[in-house]
Amino acid sequence: MTAKRTVKQVTVAASVDNGKLSKLLQNNRWFNELPEYCLEEMLALAKIRQLDDGECVYAKDDEPDGLYGVITGAARISNIGPDGREAVLAVLSPGSWFGEISLFDGLPRSHDTHASGSTELLLIPRKGFQQLLDRRPELYPLFMRLLCRRIRISFAMLEDSALLPLPSRLAKRLLMHAHNYGQTDDEGGRPSVQLSQESLGLMLNSSRQSINKLLKRLEAAGWLNIRYGQIVILDEASLTRLATGETSLEG
């Protein structure tokens, strides 16, 4: 993928509804752990980045510029192998938080991140973020939990790729995204995932066609509802049993 580095960046203006943005972020399962004053201070520091589809948020080995939250669209986190193939690590939906690792260790970015579709991001600049932590040291445990959660996810994905069949890996990836990056649908508060079938295929080292067939079987079983740009989890218990190998699509 060719990185398009030019972006439009402006500070949060008076016309931006901070209350609406705060509510959007709180819909995320991680953001809602943050105290209200933290969200307010973050929004006061924030800038908005507006990106077109495929535009580069930051590239591997870039110096860290800040902490990001997805307002609209999605952020696609990936790396390119020596043979030019792309390995998609995650596609983050609105309410998701990313870019924190480089802020804590001070090292360059470890992967590429691009906009997936027309995307709007909140950027908490690095200097402002560090000043916030200096003022609010009680926030460190919250961010440490986020970092530990990401580490656990990374180890789980490595283990899954070696040990689990594709149906179980798909179920586990859907649950992981729903609980760590996803939102709830508007109807019943059910966990949902905003991931394309192509992205799922890239993340699971499988074809879009194979992912499509499996999703249709999961939908026919009543475990999922596939909508345009969204997968709603209807039967989390059954999906969990599939993810852990306790059941199969035939059983």
Side-chain angles (χ1 to χ4, degrees), residues 5-20:
R5 305 305 303 274
T6 302
V7 299
K8 297 171 284 184
Q9 181 170 308
V10 296
T11 56
V12 177
S15 60
V16 175
D17 186 344
N18 281 13
K20 182 178 179 180

Side-chain angles (χ1 to χ4, degrees), residues 197 212-227 230-232 234 239 249:
Q197 294 179 21
N212 178 262
K213 290 179 181 178
L214 284 174
L215 287 174
K216 286 182 176 178
R217 292 173 67 188
L218 291 170
E219 186 173 43
W223 299 357
L224 300 176
N225 179 225
I226 302 171
R227 304 176 185 174
Q230 185 182 46
I231 300 170
V232 179
L234 303 179
L239 208 61
L249 287 177

Side-chain angles (χ1 to χ4, degrees), residues 50-144:
Q50 297 172 326
L51 302 98
D52 297 325
D53 182 36
E55 197 166 1
C56 185
V57 181
Y58 54 74
K60 184 178 180 180
D61 296 326
D62 279 356
E63 291 299 315
D65 56 344
L67 190 64
Y68 285 91
V70 183
I71 303 172
T72 61
R76 178 188 182 106
I77 298 177
S78 65
N79 270 326
I80 303 297
D83 60 358
R85 289 190 301 167
E86 181 185 25
V88 177
L89 307 179
V91 179
L92 307 183
S93 58
S96 298
W97 208 233
F98 66 97
E100 74 286 343
I101 295 175
S102 290
L103 293 189
F104 284 103
D105 66 16
L107 298 176
R109 299 294 192 185
S110 59
H111 48 259
D112 301 326
T113 300
H114 293 83
S116 183
S118 180
T119 297
E120 193 172 36
L121 302 175
L122 273 182
L123 166 63
I124 312 297
R126 182 181 184 183
K127 183 177 179 181
F129 176 75
Q130 291 173 335
Q131 290 172 344
L132 173 63
L133 290 180
D134 288 341
R135 292 195 306 273
R136 305 286 192 181
E138 67 271 22
L139 295 178
Y140 273 102
L142 293 171
F143 284 101
M144 289 303 103

